[in-house]
Amino acid sequence: MILALEQILNGAQLGLMLFLLAAGLTLVFGIMNLVNLAHGSLYMMGAYFAVTLIDWTGSFVLGALLALPAVLLLGIAVEVICLRRLYARSHLDQLLATFGLLLFFNDLVLVIWGKAGRTIALPGWLRTSVEILPGVPYSAYRLLVIAAGLVVALGLWFTISRTRIGMRIRAGASDREITGALGIDVASLFSLVFGVGAMLAGLAGILNAPILTVQSGMGERILVIALVVTVLGGIGSVRGAFVAALSIGLLDTLARAFLPDLLKVVLPASAAQTAGAAAGSMIIYLLMVITLAVRPQGLFPVRAR
Amino acid sequence: MLEIDRIDVSYGRLQVLFGLELRIPAGQVVALMGRNGMGKTTALRAIMGLVPVGTGTIRLRGADITNRPSHRIARAGIGLVPEGRRIFPNLSTRENLLAAAANRRHAAAPWTLERVFDLFPRLAERADLSGTQLSGGEQQMLAIGRALMTNPDLLILDEATEGLAPLARQAIWSCLARLKAEGLALLVVERDIKALATLAESCVMIEKGRVAWTGSGIDLAADPALVQKYLGI
């Protein structure tokens, strides 16, 4: 029971990190019809910026906060210099070009930060654990990550669903041509959306940096899952991304934790261990296949036509 | 107010408009007519900057707007009610109206949510419903209201009464008459000759991308042979 609660919190944390990535990805795909494989690179760059800025400032909080505008600017630069030329091209061209960007960033960090993975040491007050229930300790930092993820998700939900700019973003995602013909500069709106999306991906990288090793290629695994989230939630739908991200985060974490034990009921111990681990890592793709078979447009389709 | 001078428009190698000419004086109603595939919608799309114009110019109040980005053309004072209405399905009725609302050219009595709801009380009742939950007629009202909220002085309507029930058609026509009375210029693609006879100062018949006939709505209604020749009805 205690383990289950811990795993649920871990799952929520993974889900919220996935949401931070998927939010930008889904809007970029929805509004500009651009498949951006380099989105995971912005996640990675967030983590590396945090490594250096925490080093320079000597403060975890200050360094992490400064890394955010750095990723925002990097995102806008990538959009203006490179991606803007790709909107009218085919998805295959976009995949090739953004895959090129991904390789470029992976090598760039090797040149600048070296081959060895980097770690970020947390300040003492974040290295403690908190008793979430009597007798159940949980890492204070992980709780902070969950809280930050929730605050950002709430802020994003408010912006998208309650403000004028949010209405325009949603309008642009459902019908770009008509949005433009009503006087909205979709290209500029999009630069902003892309920059903020990059910043959110960067935030996920920054928050994950103290938990994981910061290294070249760290964006790829999470990008693949974030793409699954995007497709599952419905391309262009932030609400869909949120629901799908939390579902996948929880499902992935819980399946990896508990499937081997569950299978032991019907299988010999060693077979259950192998099968459970394999099934645990497959289960989110299975969910995607089933969802797409039933609802090809995802859970919350934006283009309801 | 809007002057279209000899524009050519092509989709790839297929040329659709051949030296099309059109004038819309301020406050007047001009109808663009012709059979399907003759280039009516293409002409509207060319005005809005949604298809590139090959040669020729389009001027709004004397300023060249040919091939400008469509958001700039809209901001210069043209409101579009597109074919098929194209309501934003993921926005509520109220949000559809508010998303692009602006009074960029400082109209003295700008369109507001209240004024649009006053024009179409049905929309006020359905303000919080998603755009897709509205009936065809209500969606058409919403598309008109959405364009009005950008405070244009020329409203372009592409087949605004197409596929609507008679009562809803009547509601749209009386709304257009009211907008005209308020001084708005209208460019409509329409085939309802009876309704146009009382509303349109000029009807322009397009055939194969060229202007084939121009006259008043009354002239057109009085000449069944002309209608038969260009519209086949």
Side-chain angles (χ1 to χ4, degrees), chain A residues 40-239:
Chain A
S41 301
L42 296 161
Y43 164 87
M44 175 181 73
M45 293 307 288
Y48 270 106
F49 284 154
V51 165
T52 297
L53 288 166
I54 288 169
D55 213 28
W56 283 355
T57 58
S59 153
F60 175 78
V61 176
L62 192 62
L65 286 179
L66 283 175
L68 284 175
V71 193
L72 175 78
L73 292 179
L74 177 69
I76 291 176
V78 167
E79 199 269 336
V80 171
I81 295 169
C82 176
L83 300 182
R84 199 166 263 202
R85 289 151 226 282
L86 296 170
Y87 300 146
R89 308 286 284 271
S90 73
H91 281 164
L92 186 61
D93 291 357
Q94 295 175 355
L95 285 174
L96 278 174
T98 56
F99 187 63
L101 271 178
L102 179 156
L103 295 176
F104 168 78
F105 278 113
N106 278 347
D107 274 354
L108 183 74
V109 298
L110 291 181
V111 171
I112 298 179
W113 284 278
K115 271 198 181 127
R118 305 286 289 264
T119 51
I120 291 178
L122 284 172
W125 58 277
L126 282 173
R127 253 178 284 164
T128 55
S129 50
V130 178
E131 258 186 46
I132 41 175
L133 283 177
V136 185
Y138 193 74
S139 149
Y141 182 70
R142 284 177 180 266
L143 280 179
L144 178 83
V145 170
I146 292 175
L150 282 175
V151 167
V152 171
L154 206 67
L156 200 61
W157 168 81
F158 182 82
T159 309
I160 298 273
S161 67
R162 288 286 181 273
T163 66
R164 186 70 65 91
I165 199 154
M167 289 177 205
R168 292 179 174 181
I169 291 169
R170 279 180 289 144
S174 78
D175 194 331
R176 192 181 167 208
E177 186 177 81
I178 293 303
T179 306
L182 288 167
I184 293 164
D185 181 355
V186 183
S188 301
L189 181 68
F190 177 72
S191 285
L192 179 78
V193 168
F194 190 88
V196 173
M199 190 174 73
L200 294 180
L203 175 64
I206 295 163
L207 290 174
N208 268 342
I211 301 172
L212 309 167
T213 305
V214 179
Q215 57 190 345
S216 174
M218 68 186 281
E220 273 87 287
R221 200 189 100 81
I222 198 158
L223 174 81
V224 171
I225 311 180
L227 280 169
V228 173
V229 166
T230 303
V231 172
L232 206 58
I235 288 160
S237 166
V238 173
R239 187 167 54 134

Side-chain angles (χ1 to χ4, degrees), chain A residues 236-249:
Chain A
S237 166
V238 173
R239 187 167 54 134
F242 184 75
V243 173
L246 274 185
S247 316
I248 282 188

Side-chain angles (χ1 to χ4, degrees), chain A residues 164 168 170 175 177 180 183, chain B residues 45 71 75 86 90 95 99:
Chain A
R164 186 70 65 91
R168 292 179 174 181
R170 279 180 289 144
D175 194 331
E177 186 177 81
Chain B
R45 292 178 61 82
H71 70 270
R75 287 176 183 195
R86 290 169 78 170
N90 51 342
E95 289 174 334

Side-chain angles (χ1 to χ4, degrees), chain A residues 26 225-235 237 240-241 243-245 247-248 251 284-293 295-301:
Chain A
T26 200
I225 311 180
L227 280 169
V228 173
V229 166
T230 303
V231 172
L232 206 58
I235 288 160
S237 166
V243 173
S247 316
I248 282 188
L251 191 68
I284 59 168
Y285 302 103
L286 206 64
L287 179 70
M288 178 173 81
V289 168
I290 293 168
T291 309
L292 289 187
R295 285 181 72 98
Q297 297 205 298
L299 297 173
F300 297 90

Side-chain angles (χ1 to χ4, degrees), chain B residues 54-78:
Chain B
T55 58
T57 54
I58 303 174
R59 269 187 283 271
L60 183 68
R61 279 182 249 98
D64 190 349
I65 57 165
T66 323
N67 290 329
R68 305 295 313 268
S70 63
H71 70 270
R72 294 216 180 272
I73 296 173
R75 287 176 183 195
I78 303 185

